[in-house]
């Protein structure tokens, strides 16, 4: 299996909404974003091993840190890095970007609670804002202001993920909803861990969704018109993720016992609509 086949397989197997936006890119940009996405998946998957042995997960993340350094020195050994490195110079993918993603995943090993929204946003900056910055460059960013849009959109995606995954994260002992906001709405951590619904929980989740929707609005307002065409893949992802967020709301935030999803056909339709009609 070639490095290119490896990263393609990784992207397809993930079932992520991101994959549907990649389909509409020209081949060189599609190859770059697929390799970068595969890197993010590889590093993120390491965190799951903490359920077996957190020490093993930390060792694996340290290995990835070293692998990134070696790759930028011209000696990539992992197929993901072999697939990614030919694109780093052209699309401005710096070593600091990849190391930041690793740092964000390390936080999942070391911190399972966030006191307030400021602390949570710092984490989201590493695991989502930086990813947004890199993807915007690959998509064809020409205006520096697009970086701010990409960071904001990345945060919107991550907050959507947090809302969707409250139940799954609780099973892993993780609570990404700020503790200060749980207290504000009178929701106890043990209620999340025990998958207990209440009007208080619904109000808390509605509050989270309203913030995520504001982030989408703020991000779209920041996108310079000169880059709107190039950033269509990001707008496709925004359409898919925001539709998911609305669907979760329509389901009255029943996220403790299930993961609410969009069908592959619906994701493709939403992506195609942005590509063909230019609207979300």
């Amino acid at each position: 299996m070639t490095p290119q086949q490896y990263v393609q397989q990784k992207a397809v197997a993930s079932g992520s909404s991101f994959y549907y936006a990649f389909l509409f890119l020209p081949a060189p940009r599609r190859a770059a974003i697929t390799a970068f996405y595969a890197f993010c998946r590889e590093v993120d998957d390491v965190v799951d091993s903490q359920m077996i042995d957190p020490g093993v997960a930390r060792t694996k993340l340290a290995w990835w840190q070293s692998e990134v350094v070696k790759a930028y020195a011209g000696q990539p050994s992992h197929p993901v890095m072999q697939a990614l490195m030919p694109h780093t110079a052209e699309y401005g993918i710096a070593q600091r970007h990849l190391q930041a993603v690793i740092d964000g995943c390390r936080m999942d090993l070391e911190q399972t609670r966030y006191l307030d929204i400021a602390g949570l946003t710092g984490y989201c900056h590493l695991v989502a804002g930086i990813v947004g910055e890199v993807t915007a460059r690959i998509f064809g960013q020409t205006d520096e202001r697009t970086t701010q849009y990409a960071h904001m959109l990345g945060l919107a995606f991550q907050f959507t993920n947090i809302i969707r995954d409250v139940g799954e994260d609780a099973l892993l002992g993780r609570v990404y909803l700020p503790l200060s906001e749980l207290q504000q709405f009178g929701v106890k951590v043990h209620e999340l861990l025990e998958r207990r619904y209440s009007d208080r929980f619904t109000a808390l989740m509605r509050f989270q969704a309203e913030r995520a929707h504001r982030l989408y609005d703020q991000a779209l307002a920041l996108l310079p018109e000169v880059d709107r065409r190039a950033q269509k893949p990001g707008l496709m992802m925004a359409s898919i993720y925001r539709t998911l967020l609305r669907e979760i709301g329509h389901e009255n935030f029943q996220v403790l016992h299930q993961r609410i999803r969009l069908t592959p056909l619906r994701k493709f339709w939403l992506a195609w609509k942005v590509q063909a009609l230019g609207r979300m």
Side-chain angles (χ1 to χ4, degrees), residues 247-263:
E247 192 71 21
I248 292 170
H250 292 158
E251 293 287 334
N252 205 31
F253 303 100
Q254 297 290 295
V255 293
L256 290 176
H257 71 290
Q258 64 179 337
R259 172 183 277 209
I260 297 173
R261 307 173 187 268
L262 303 180
T263 65

Side-chain angles (χ1 to χ4, degrees), residues 85-259:
M85 291 312 297
H87 306 288
T88 54
E90 182 174 3
Y91 298 115
I93 306 171
Q95 183 176 163
R96 67 173 178 84
H97 293 132
L98 306 188
Q99 297 290 6
V101 173
I102 297 171
D103 288 341
C105 289
R106 182 180 291 104
M107 289 182 70
D108 282 326
L109 295 174
E110 299 172 349
Q111 188 168 350
T112 59
R113 305 285 190 278
Y114 290 88
L115 177 61
D116 53 28
I117 190 61
L120 180 61
T121 300
Y123 162 76
C124 292
H125 163 75
L126 293 174
V127 299
I130 293 293
V131 172
E133 178 181 338
V134 173
T135 55
R137 292 172 184 231
I138 295 173
F139 293 157
Q141 174 180 349
T142 63
D143 191 312
E144 281 302 312
R145 293 175 297 171
T146 299
T147 297
Q148 189 177 3
Y149 143 83
H151 272 272
M152 190 71 71
L153 190 60
L155 293 180
F157 292 158
Q158 189 64 22
F159 277 103
T160 301
N161 285 340
I162 288 170
I163 292 167
R164 178 195 65 192
D165 296 341
V166 169
E168 290 184 7
D169 288 333
L171 287 177
L172 297 173
R174 301 175 190 153
V175 177
Y176 291 104
L177 303 177
L179 297 180
S180 61
E181 294 176 2
L182 265 70
Q183 184 177 27
Q184 177 183 340
F185 286 88
V187 176
K188 306 295 185 183
V189 169
H190 72 82
E191 295 179 75
L192 304 182
L193 303 180
E194 296 167 5
R195 298 182 170 188
R196 287 168 52 185
Y197 292 102
S198 65
D199 291 341
R200 292 170 287 106
F201 173 77
T202 302
L204 168 66
M205 297 307 292
R206 187 174 294 114
F207 179 80
Q208 304 299 317
E210 288 170 355
R211 176 166 51 218
H213 279 300
R214 287 196 301 273
L215 287 169
Y216 284 109
D217 289 338
Q218 292 166 11
L220 296 174
L222 288 168
L223 178 59
E225 189 62 35
V226 68
D227 272 351
R228 183 167 293 275
R229 183 179 180 85
Q231 297 301 316
K232 267 190 177 183
L235 297 176
M236 292 176 195
M237 291 186 287
S239 179
I240 293 170
Y241 266 75
R242 200 165 195 183
T243 299
L244 172 62
L245 183 61
R246 293 189 181 108
E247 192 71 21
I248 292 170
H250 292 158
E251 293 287 334
N252 205 31
F253 303 100
Q254 297 290 295
V255 293
L256 290 176
H257 71 290
Q258 64 179 337
R259 172 183 277 209

